[in-house]
């Protein structure tokens, strides 16, 4: 029912149907930063994991399509991304302070707040990290 896989260039139009974030998804796909979730052959969500943040694994984007939420898709995408970090001690992400859904998800998965940055967007951006393995 749910399949997670690296995105391909041909997924861009399906992603565009529900994408809410700025950025060049095709370029990110070509850099192999995007994982998609397919639910019964529908692209129902994606996550972007990159290493441009102090060379640390950083989850920059995560979206699940309306109508497919609260089925565990975001949780599965987060866990899949964590499993890609086979040699990393920590993984990082951030979200705006009002994003209760994302903050609850991060809390459920064991992420802890590690800093707040203002003036990026209207609301404060809260950074989170999770220990994947001990040094
Ligand atoms: C945040 C988001 C990705 C969650 O996707 P999802 O697939 O619905 O999440 P899941 O079904 O995997 O939920 C996992 C956990 O997240 C939390 N959660 C998710 N949606 C929630 C909601 N509407 N209210 C409260 N908690 C919520 C819960 O802890 C949930 O666990 P539970 O079902 O056992 O209570 C989705 O709401 C979304 O795409 N939002 C818009 C984009 C966004 O804000 N992205 C994050 C910032 S980059």
């Amino acid at each position: 029912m749910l399949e997670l896989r690296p995105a391909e260039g041909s997924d861009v139009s399906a992603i565009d149907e529900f994408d809410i974030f700025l950025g060049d998804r095709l370029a990110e796909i070509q850099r192999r930063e995007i994982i998609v979730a397919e639910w019964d052959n529908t692209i129902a969500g994606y996550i972007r994991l990159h290493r441009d943040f102090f060379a640390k694994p950083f989850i920059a984007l995560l979206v699940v399509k309306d109508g497919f939420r609260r089925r565990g898709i975001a949780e599965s995408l987060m866990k899949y991304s964590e499993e890609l970090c086979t040699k990393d001690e920590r993984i990082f992400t951030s979200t705006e302070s009002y994003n209760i859904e994302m903050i609850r998800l991060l809390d459920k998965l064991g992420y802890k707040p590690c800093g707040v940055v203002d003036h990026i967007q209207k609301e404060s951006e809260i950074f989170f990290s999770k220990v994947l393995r001990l040094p």
Side-chain angles (χ1 to χ4, degrees), residues 20-21 60-65 68-76 94-95 99-102 104-105 108:
I20 55 169
F21 291 114
L61 306 172
L62 172 62
V63 194
V64 173
K65 190 174 184 172
F68 290 85
R69 293 185 182 174
R70 295 315 288 267
R71 301 183 186 189
I73 294 176
E75 197 174 326
S76 298
S94 70
T95 192
N99 195 336
I100 300 304
E101 296 88 352
M102 185 64 182
R104 290 220 176 126
L105 170 65
K108 182 177 182 186

Side-chain angles (χ1 to χ4, degrees), residues 42-127:
T42 299
I43 304 283
Y46 78 87
I47 194 165
R48 178 180 174 220
L49 173 70
H50 68 66
R51 286 175 179 273
D52 297 337
F53 181 75
F54 300 94
K56 305 290 185 189
F58 190 90
I59 291 167
L61 306 172
L62 172 62
V63 194
V64 173
K65 190 174 184 172
D66 274 336
F68 290 85
R69 293 185 182 174
R70 295 315 288 267
R71 301 183 186 189
I73 294 176
E75 197 174 326
S76 298
L77 284 165
M78 293 285 293
K79 288 178 177 168
Y80 186 105
S81 301
E82 291 171 11
E83 284 167 14
L84 293 175
C85 303
T86 51
K87 294 182 180 155
D88 298 285
E89 291 169 18
R90 278 182 187 269
I91 186 168
F92 293 82
T93 190
S94 70
T95 192
E96 285 180 288
S97 55
Y98 68 81
N99 195 336
I100 300 304
E101 296 88 352
M102 185 64 182
I103 290 169
R104 290 220 176 126
L105 170 65
L106 293 172
D107 181 59
K108 182 177 182 186
L109 295 178
Y111 286 72
K112 305 291 181 201
C114 60
V116 177
V117 178
D118 293 328
H119 312 305
I120 297 177
Q121 306 188 71
K122 202 170 174 186
E123 303 290 332
S124 299
E125 189 78 6
I126 308 177
F127 284 71

